[in-house]
Every structure is written in C-alpha cells, then in structure tokens.
Amino acid sequence: MSRSIKTHVDQHNIDLIPVDPSRPLIEQGPLDCFIHKLYGPDWISQLLHFSSLNPDAPIIDPLDSIQRLHDRISMLQVVSILTVSERNQVLDVPRQHFFSDSETMMKNSDDLIKKLGFPLIAKPLMADGSETSHKMYLVFDKEGLDKLESRMIIMQEFVNHGGVLFKVYVVGDFVKCVKRKSLRDIKEDKLVTMKGLLPFSQMSNLEEKTDCGGGGEFDRVEMPPVDFVEEVAKAMKEETGISLLNFDLIRDARDAKRYLIIDINYFPGYEKIPNYESVLTDFLFNSMEKNKSGDVSMVREHDDD
C-alpha cells in the first residue's frame, strides 16, 4: 500500500487490510467492505461463501457483472443498449465477428474481408487480464489471416482515429477522461505496402516505418464533450452495475461526431489520474456509508447467484 493512499484512508478512519489469496477468505476479517480483482472458479466460490456469511459486507463489484466484461462479445453488447440522450455525438462500436478457431475463420475469410476490409484487429474472446487475453494482432492481408493460430478469436475492424485514444475512468460517481497516444491512422496507399500481421507488442515498429499522421498534433487534439462522456459513463455504470471501470473511446477520423467504444475494463490502474488517492478513498468511504443506510445495490452480488 502506498504511503499516499494510507494518508488519505487514515483521515477517514478507514483500515485497508490486504487479503491473502492463499488462505480461506472466510478466515480473514471481519470486513466492512470487500474490494477485489481476482478471478477463477475457486475465488468465485470463496467470494460467494464469504458473502453468504457476511451479508452486511458489500462486495465491490458484483461477480456476474465482472464476468460480462471478460467476454469481448458481451462487453461491447453493453454499449448497444446504453440509454444516451439525443445529441450531436453518435456512440458506436467497431464491427466484429467471432470465430471458434482460425480454421473456421479462413473458410469464411472472403466474406470477412468483404464485410470488414483490411486492416483487421485480431483479439482473443476473453479479456480476463491473463497473458493470453493480451495477445492481439493487426492483420494487413489474407496471408496475415492464415498466420493466425488461435481458438475463440474476435476479428474487429480497424477504425482510423487520428492516433488518439480517450481513456475514461469511472470511480463511483467520479468520471475523468484523459487522452493517450494510439496507433496512427493507416491510409489506403500505405496499407498496400503492409504485409502479414503485426503483434500489438510491436506496434512501435509500424509507426517507425510508416507515415500515418498524428504525432506532433497530439497536444492540439480536442477532447470529447464533457457532458457526453459523463452521460455515457453514468449509463454504463447503471447498465453493468459496476462502479470501478474504464472504457477506451476513439473518434472516427472520417466523422468527428462519431465515437466508438473499443474496450471496457474492470478496476483499471488509476495511478495516472490526478489525485487518485483521494478519489478512491472517497469512493470507499461513500460505499460504506451507503451500506450503513441500506443502499447496497451497486455493490451487492445478485441474489440468484
């Protein structure tokens, strides 16, 4: 635990107690609130057992809601059912197709290419934080598709977005949008010179070898409207039942009013948010206060689990 976090929680008389995952959870405590980011059948079983014996200790966040974000299909389906008011901005997601294995994908490659074109982004179906879930590729042609050796794979269209990614962090009612450098635009005349596929871990090589735009204009890139971002964040929190998340937003280079959510993550690293210690401390304090008042809907596991 960092000293800065400890200072903030001490001011609210909150004790942060690290949990030992190698020991039975029920033997650790008592706890007024439980916050976690571990997965797996055994851990889920432990959490459900703990909750059944400690109904007054809210679990942040609900297990079934977290599982929804671990699947890259159900993850983006969340976006399609968000309730956002009529406005100038359009909220969307990239087109994508799921294949159970690379062999099936190659059998349907002509239809895939016709519908989504190149380049394509290849992602594992599961987004559970494991090493495998981070193995993603940018695919430039059919030869690149043939080189993919994977099961449970998502093929997603690549949308030029000016080389800028907007990361939106949500901590309860707190919302913060920051911009980050992203993969630069890939123009059609450059695409014809690119062959095969490239792991995301080597994207810097792509930027060095191509002139895809962006670069020095990063600081001048306009942020999305604050009210739009906050409305989307509120709708996503209500739809998912999750209080700790972030989503990655891009702006279509062809249509400045069209924004696409390309990823949603549970309990991200908040260290880059200014004054994050105070934000997290206030959230924990408010969560426990809501629990005392009987309002635990945002942190309680569903009764039917």
Side-chain angles (χ1 to χ4, degrees), residues 206-240:
L206 176 63
E207 294 186 9
E208 293 169 0
K209 296 176 182 178
T210 62
D211 180 17
C212 299
E217 297 183 356
F218 175 79
D219 292 337
R220 295 191 294 273
V221 171
E222 184 178 349
M223 297 290 288
V226 173
D227 58 344
F228 170 66
V229 170
E230 291 182 345
E231 183 178 6
V232 173
K234 180 181 178 181
M236 185 174 296
K237 191 184 77 167
E238 291 177 351
E239 173 59 33
T240 62

Side-chain angles (χ1 to χ4, degrees), residues 99 101-112 142:
F99 297 98
D101 53 61
S102 52
E103 291 80 6
T104 303
M105 180 187 63
M106 287 309 298
K107 291 179 181 177
N108 296 274
S109 60
D110 289 342
D111 186 55
L112 174 67
K142 196 167 184 178

Side-chain angles (χ1 to χ4, degrees), residues 148-163:
L148 288 172
E149 296 180 0
S150 180
R151 301 186 63 82
M152 313 291 281
I153 188 170
I154 296 285
M155 299 304 301
Q156 187 180 89
E157 69 171 331
F158 176 81
V159 178
N160 282 330
H161 51 282

